[in-house]
Amino acid sequence: MNEKWKSAFDQIHAEDELKTRTKEYLSEKIYHRRAAPRPIFRRAAALAAGLLLLCFIGGSWFFMTPTAYISIDINPSLELGINRFDRVVSVESYNEDGEDLARALNITFMNYSDALDEILSSRSIEDYLSGDALMSLTVAGDNDTQYTEILDTVETCADGRENIQCHSGNTEEMHEAHDAGVSFGKYRAYLILHDLDPSISLDDIRSMTMREIYDLIDSYDGDQGTENTGTRADEAGTGTEAGTGAEAGTETETADTGYEPGSRPGEGHGQGRQHHREHGKREND
């Protein structure tokens, strides 16, 4: 009898062992097989996250990259970097007064037209302009359509304001200015002055205001004008000689800077589209 019970219990033990092995087999062959896709899912999730991060970085770069610039020079020197959506994405200062002005403004991500209006309406800039300081607004850009639109807008903003002149430029010279550590507007004025007197270096004008630089340009141009003895006779054909004794019909040569001797730049907004070696002349007071 005991042997029969023992044999029965041994059979039960064997069945339990078989069940255990069967479970292990099923777990290995079925459950593990179903779990296999998890690494693929993880790789797909990681790839999607990487693509999302790449899109974010690329979109940020696309938005934050300037495609045009406005150099604002009076005594403070600022340059506004403008993206392809006409938003100000950078504000760079090039002297201490420019740093003070930049800290007082909150124009980042504003439309450049609104930002320019805010700058021109600031108390410090109004004080400069009312004190006969000269402001130069210089536009540079690689996209012709955007560049032209910005230049037109800048000229409109400057229209009706005294002592402001607008200029156009190119990004190649702008990068040269940045390499030299000065704003594009001041570098452009330096190029005009250097044409008149090659002995003048950039360091000589680095700390000068725009009014001082253009007054110096005006003085050199005036000196060149006095060396030309020929004057233009009366267009009515009177045949009279000029007071200098030059023959009638001769014409005074103007300097290569693009404005007449004795004139001062500043109020001629219509000259805003001229090349960097030309500038508008200021009407005599």
Side-chain angles (χ1 to χ4, degrees), residues 25-93:
Y25 177 82
L26 293 175
S27 176
E28 180 179 355
K29 297 299 183 180
I30 298 177
Y31 298 137
H32 285 187
R33 184 176 298 175
R34 290 178 180 177
R38 290 183 180 178
I40 298 177
F41 175 78
R42 290 175 181 174
R43 287 195 295 269
L47 180 60
L51 290 175
L52 183 62
L53 179 61
L54 184 63
C55 290
F56 176 78
I57 294 174
S60 298
W61 175 86
F62 188 77
F63 184 85
M64 295 299 297
T65 300
T67 54
Y69 300 83
I70 302 176
S71 182
I72 303 166
D73 298 276
I74 180 166
N75 189 34
S77 287
L78 290 178
E79 279 189 5
L80 308 183
I82 303 164
N83 69 7
R84 65 194 74 244
F85 306 107
D86 294 336
R87 297 287 172 173
V88 176
V89 292
S90 65
V91 181
E92 298 291 338
S93 56

Side-chain angles (χ1 to χ4, degrees), residues 2-224:
N2 291 334
E3 292 296 330
K4 293 182 178 180
W5 281 108
K6 183 177 179 182
S7 177
F9 278 115
D10 288 342
Q11 291 179 5
I12 295 174
H13 177 72
E15 291 176 358
D16 289 340
E17 185 177 355
L18 179 61
K19 291 179 180 180
T20 301
R21 290 179 179 177
T22 300
K23 289 180 180 180
E24 291 177 354
Y25 177 82
L26 293 175
S27 176
E28 180 179 355
K29 297 299 183 180
I30 298 177
Y31 298 137
H32 285 187
R33 184 176 298 175
R34 290 178 180 177
R38 290 183 180 178
I40 298 177
F41 175 78
R42 290 175 181 174
R43 287 195 295 269
L47 180 60
L51 290 175
L52 183 62
L53 179 61
L54 184 63
C55 290
F56 176 78
I57 294 174
S60 298
W61 175 86
F62 188 77
F63 184 85
M64 295 299 297
T65 300
T67 54
Y69 300 83
I70 302 176
S71 182
I72 303 166
D73 298 276
I74 180 166
N75 189 34
S77 287
L78 290 178
E79 279 189 5
L80 308 183
I82 303 164
N83 69 7
R84 65 194 74 244
F85 306 107
D86 294 336
R87 297 287 172 173
V88 176
V89 292
S90 65
V91 181
E92 298 291 338
S93 56
Y94 285 88
N95 56 18
E96 292 184 2
D97 291 333
E99 292 176 0
D100 293 339
L101 180 60
R103 282 194 294 267
L105 299 171
N106 186 22
I107 59 175
T108 305
F109 304 133
M110 290 178 61
N111 181 279
Y112 72 87
S113 178
D114 297 332
L116 186 58
D117 279 335
E118 185 164 332
I119 292 172
L120 295 178
S121 300
S122 66
R123 179 62 180 271
S124 60
I125 294 300
E126 287 183 343
D127 289 344
Y128 275 113
L129 292 175
S130 63
D132 199 38
L134 175 66
M135 173 179 280
S136 174
L137 302 176
T138 309
V139 179
D142 294 322
N143 184 292
D144 290 340
T145 300
Q146 184 188 36
Y147 163 81
T148 301
E149 291 176 354
I150 292 177
L151 184 58
D152 289 340
T153 301
V154 167
E155 290 175 342
T156 300
C157 290
D159 190 30
R161 300 175 187 264
E162 295 184 354
N163 300 330
I164 299 179
Q165 59 178 188
C166 302
H167 303 286
S168 61
N170 60 70
T171 53
E172 181 180 354
E173 288 178 347
M174 183 193 68
H175 293 310
E176 292 177 3
H178 293 173
D179 291 340
V182 297
S183 67
F184 183 35
K186 179 166 284 191
Y187 185 75
R188 180 186 177 280
Y190 159 73
L191 292 177
I192 298 173
L193 184 58
H194 187 70
D195 281 347
L196 296 171
D197 186 352
S199 68
I200 293 180
S201 68
L202 190 58
D203 289 335
D204 293 332
I205 59 94
R206 193 179 295 272
S207 61
M208 296 173 62
T209 66
M210 298 304 290
R211 171 60 74 196
E212 291 170 340
I213 295 173
Y214 276 109
D215 280 349
L216 185 57
I217 290 172
D218 186 58
S219 68
Y220 276 98
D221 186 66
D223 290 341
Q224 288 189 5

